[in-house]
Amino acid sequence: MNIIVCKDYDDMSKKAADLVISNMVEKPQIKLGLATGSTPIGLYQNLIKASDEGEISFRYARSVNLDEYVGIDPTNDQSYQYFMNENLFNHVKFDEGATKLPHAPEADEKYCKEYDAYLDEFGQRDIQILGIGPNGHLAFNEPSDKLNRRTSIVKLSEETIEANSRFFESREDVPKYAISMGMADVFNAKTLILLASGKNKHEAVKRLIEEDTIYPGLPASFLTLHPNAYVFVDEDAYRG
Ligand code: GLP
C-alpha cells in the first residue's frame, strides 16, 4: 500500500487526479470506478479541467459507481446519481450509457443481482476511486463481523447516518438503507486510489496505516491486500 501524505485537500486532489489523468492518457478506453462523498469532488474538478484543456477525453471511457441510497429517485438532489451529474458527468463528455450507478427503488435483492450482472459484464476496472467513512467503511460496506462479497442492500450504521446527515435537512431525512457494491467488486480494479481528508478521518486512517491486521471491523484494512493501492491523505487526516 502506497501512502502519499499531501499538504492539504487541494494538493491531495491534484496528486490523485494526476495519477488518474496519466492512466487516461495511456488508455482512453479506461474503465473507471467512481465514488461519491465530499472527498473526491476536488479530484473530479481536476479531471474536468484536464478534459476542458484537451489533456484527456471521456469519449471512450466507461464508469461504474460504488453505491446509492435506497428509495431515492435519481433526480432527487440527495441521490448519488445527482451528485455524479453535478460534479462530473454534466461537465465531461462520456458517451451515452457509458456511466452507471446502482439503483434500488426499494430494498429488494433483485436490484443487487442486476448490478452484479452489470459488473460481471463490465469486468475489471483500471482504476477504482474510494473514500473512507470515519468508521473505516468502504462504499457502504459497514464495519461488521462479516462483509458481503457482492452487491447488497445495507442497513446504514448510526455513525454513517450521523456523518452523512450534514447533506440532509435533518438526521431523520437520511435514508436508512443503501445499495452497495460488495468487497470483492470494490477491489476488482488494477489500481485503487483511496482519498482521505480532514481530522474526522484521522482515526480511520491511523488504524488503516498502523494496524497490521485485516478484519471486517475495519473494511478499509483489506486494502492492504491489494498489490497496487494508493492512499492519498492530507496532513489533517494523517496527523489528526
Ligand atoms: C459515504 C459513501 C462512501 C464515502 C463516505 C465518505 O458514506 N458511501 O463511499 O467514502 O461517505 O464520504 P465523505 O467523502 O463525504 O467524507
Side-chain angles (χ1 to χ4, degrees):
M1 194 168 72
N2 307 291
I3 298 149
I4 299 106
V5 183
C6 308
K7 195 161 56 76
D8 53 22
Y9 179 77
D10 289 346
D11 187 35
M12 177 196 78
S13 302
K14 173 84 175 64
K15 289 201 166 91
D18 284 347
L19 181 55
V20 179
I21 290 167
S22 64
N23 275 268
M24 289 185 72
V25 168
E26 204 174 301
K27 188 177 179 187
Q29 69 282 24
I30 195 161
K31 290 189 203 173
L32 297 167
L34 302 175
T36 50
S38 49
T39 316
I41 291 177
L43 184 158
Y44 295 149
Q45 285 170 349
N46 279 283
L47 296 186
I48 294 166
K49 184 165 171 280
S51 163
D52 286 347
E53 290 170 355
E55 195 183 348
I56 53 169
S57 161
F58 285 81
R59 176 74 203 281
Y60 302 107
R62 289 180 70 199
S63 74
V64 287
N65 260 73
L66 292 170
D67 47 16
E68 176 61 285
Y69 291 116
V70 165
I72 269 195
D73 194 84
T75 58
N76 185 309
D77 62 4
Q78 303 291 5
S79 74
Y80 282 171
Q81 176 71 61
Y82 189 93
F83 173 97
M84 288 309 303
N85 294 345
E86 286 289 297
N87 290 292
L88 184 66
F89 299 159
N90 288 348
H91 308 280
V92 297
K93 293 195 179 73
F94 273 104
D95 249 11
E96 182 94 34
T99 65
K100 179 87 172 168
L101 276 84
H103 176 53
E106 69 269 332
D108 188 323
E109 286 300 318
K110 74 176 179 200
Y111 302 110
C112 303
K113 296 274 165 295
E114 276 172 24
Y115 202 55
D116 281 343
Y118 191 87
L119 293 173
D120 287 343
E121 178 274 323
F122 193 88
Q124 189 185 43
R125 277 143 273 150
D126 295 289
I127 289 182
Q128 176 63 56
I129 294 160
L130 293 165
I132 182 171
N135 61 2
H137 77 211
L138 288 184
F140 272 126
N141 294 289
E142 298 281 26
S144 167
D145 54 0
K146 55 183 182 189
L147 295 168
N148 291 308
R149 295 181 58 246
R150 307 233 49 202
T151 307
S152 65
I153 304 284
V154 186
K155 188 173 187 330
L156 301 186
S157 70
E158 287 303 317
E159 211 176 345
T160 297
I161 291 177
E162 183 61 40
N164 290 6
S165 64
R166 67 190 195 278
F167 299 112
F168 293 80
E169 260 180 42
S170 75
R171 201 177 188 282
E172 286 61 50
D173 292 335
V174 185
K176 306 286 176 286
Y177 291 89
I179 178 168
S180 176
M181 204 186 266
M183 296 294 282
D185 292 298
V186 167
F187 291 132
N188 188 14
K190 288 180 193 152
T191 300
L192 299 179
I193 298 180
L194 183 136
L195 305 171
S197 164
K199 289 186 193 299
N200 70 326
K201 298 293 170 70
H202 174 63
E203 199 49 43
V205 166
K206 186 169 178 292
R207 289 168 67 198
L208 169 63
I209 294 174
E210 289 179 5
E211 292 179 14
D212 208 15
T213 51
I214 46 166
Y215 57 105
L218 184 66
S221 64
F222 288 85
L223 211 79
T224 56
L225 296 178
H226 194 281
N228 201 31
Y230 292 83
V231 177
F232 290 89
V233 285
D234 66 7
E235 287 279 347
D236 282 349
Y238 188 65
R239 295 189 209 288

